[in-house]
Amino acid sequence: MGGPSHRTIHLQNSGLSLHVVEEGSGPAVLLLHGFPETSYSWRHQISSLAGAGFHVIAPDMRGYGASDAPESSEEYTSLHIVGDIIGLLDTFNLKEVYVVGHNWGAIIGWDLCLFRPDRVKAYVAVSLPFLLRGPHRSFMDFYRELLGEGFYMTRFQEPGGIEAEFASVGTSEVLQRILASEGSFPICIPEGNGILDLIPEVTTLPPWCTEEDLKHYTEQFERSGFTGPLNYYRAINRTWELKAPWTNMTVLTTTLFISGDKDLLHTLPNLQDYVYGGAFQMEVPNLKGVVTLEGGHFIHQQQAAEFNDHVIKFFKEHPL
């Protein structure tokens, strides 16, 4: 095996270009990363899935890494990002694929299943469950009303604000703190504080993240900046408006959900009860299991071998 290859894919449906890592042959698996990551976050999955007989495709999402990054947050709605995914599948001439999505990649994966269920054979969502599009307000506004203006997603809304805070300490320091926190930082920021005030400085990286890994992430974010990734948050309410036709629609795709037991899922009010109390199963009726592994937010990196076993087993149980 020659290992992963890299190339740039020009999307005919949007005119954007995405950097893509791929390896293997067989049924296609699409890996969608989250924040603050790139396709590199799937480094433990790509060769493992390829070795299990899959054609693995891992893009840098719009705004990240070596992919194009439109300036306006208006171009980061879920419909735009799902459009990128459809353009990517069309370029590879893939009618149906397996999908794994983590963090923001999980949100995009859920919407891919919602908008184009014909293109997804089975889906593994990591860290973030499906959130039904309700008729009254977005999930960000729900938590803003519940938790106040200090809710971290609310604080991300001001263009340039968080970017300036990140610039004050440097890209490497920002990434090191977020990765070491494993997604367990407080979700509300007191007035007068920045988000980095609540994520402590660290002197060592977690065991699953090496200095070389941090260097790679740092180089990628110094190249792309943080505005594109933060624009996903800034487009949340616009996405909610555009998703009006899918109000109260459930996801019918065959799905597996995986999270770490110390992930943000277990700190956001009502979310843990939603996942483990039965409502999640009602809104995703073909949910085949909820797997909780020991670890934090970046569980696919922290518990890579066990994570990979669950994903491979699940996909092989549902052949194309």
Side-chain angles (χ1 to χ4, degrees):
M1 296 179 64
S5 63
H6 297 250
R7 60 170 161 150
T8 298
I9 302 293
H10 182 74
L11 306 178
Q12 296 297 320
N13 64 347
S14 69
L16 266 64
S17 293
L18 300 183
H19 169 252
V20 171
V21 182
E22 64 175 318
E23 184 178 355
S25 60
V29 178
L30 183 67
L31 304 178
L32 306 177
H33 69 80
F35 175 86
E37 300 171 288
T38 65
S39 56
Y40 184 77
S41 71
W42 300 112
R43 61 198 177 279
H44 303 302
Q45 282 71 51
I46 292 171
S47 293
S48 178
L49 287 165
F54 295 98
H55 174 201
V56 186
I57 303 167
D60 287 349
M61 305 288 278
R62 174 186 293 230
Y64 284 86
S67 291
D68 284 349
E71 292 183 9
S72 172
S73 63
E74 292 288 315
E75 296 185 65
Y76 288 82
T77 73
S78 189
L79 280 80
H80 285 87
I81 313 302
V82 170
D84 291 346
I85 301 307
I86 296 301
L88 193 61
L89 299 186
D90 289 347
T91 300
F92 280 97
N93 196 29
L94 295 168
K95 293 184 177 180
E96 193 176 36
V97 297
Y98 297 108
V99 180
V100 185
H102 171 249
N103 183 261
W104 262 106
I107 294 174
I108 299 305
W110 287 118
D111 280 347
L112 175 63
C113 294
L114 192 65
F115 302 158
R116 294 299 305 270
D118 58 308
R119 306 302 291 267
V120 184
K121 175 61 180 178
Y123 178 44
V124 177
V126 188
S127 296
L128 291 177
F130 175 65
L131 298 176
L132 197 75
R133 195 277 186 192
H136 303 300
R137 60 193 181 279
S138 70
F139 72 85
M140 187 183 73
D141 282 348
F142 169 79
Y143 279 109
R144 189 204 311 243
E145 292 176 18
L146 185 67
L147 302 171
E149 293 298 321
F151 180 51
Y152 77 99
M153 289 189 187
T154 302
R155 295 288 289 273
F156 281 1
Q157 297 304 304
E158 179 189 354
I162 296 297
E163 291 94 323
E165 183 180 351
F166 286 175
S168 70
V169 299
T171 302
S172 180
E173 176 68 19
V174 169
L175 294 171
Q176 182 168 335
R177 290 198 204 184
I178 293 175
L179 294 171
S181 75
E182 298 185 357
S184 62
F185 57 83
I187 59 175
C188 287
I189 306 168
E191 187 175 354
N193 289 90
I195 189 169
L196 292 178
D197 293 326
L198 305 184
I199 306 176
E201 296 182 40
V202 293
T203 56
T204 58
L205 288 164
W208 51 267
C209 183
T210 68
E211 291 290 345
E212 188 62 30
D213 294 335
L214 178 61
K215 179 182 177 183
H216 183 89
Y217 281 128
T218 300
E219 289 172 349
Q220 292 295 300
F221 277 90
E222 287 184 341
R223 172 179 178 166
S224 67
F226 284 97
T227 296
L230 290 167
N231 278 341
Y232 283 67
Y233 295 92
R234 292 166 184 157
I236 287 174
N237 282 349
R238 180 59 178 152
T239 290
W240 178 81
E241 293 170 358
L242 294 173
K243 285 175 66 176
W246 293 274
T247 299
N248 292 327
M249 287 288 293
T250 59
V251 165
L252 301 180
T253 305
T254 300
T255 303
L256 179 70
F257 181 70
I258 303 176
S259 71
D261 62 356
K262 299 177 183 64
D263 199 354
L264 188 65
L265 163 68
H266 301 277
T267 61
L268 275 172
N270 305 323
L271 203 55
Q272 188 171 1
D273 289 342
Y274 167 74
V275 169
Y276 296 101
F280 186 24
Q281 180 77 64
M282 293 178 61
E283 295 181 2
V284 186
N286 290 316
L287 178 68
K288 300 303 181 183
V290 173
V291 176
T292 305
L293 303 179
E294 183 178 350
H297 183 63
F298 304 99
I299 196 66
H300 58 306
Q301 299 177 68
Q302 186 175 7
Q303 299 287 1
E306 189 175 0
F307 178 92
N308 295 348
D309 287 345
H310 282 289
V311 171
I312 291 167
K313 179 175 182 290
F314 177 64
F315 286 159
K316 291 200 169 183
E317 288 173 347
H318 301 91
L320 281 170

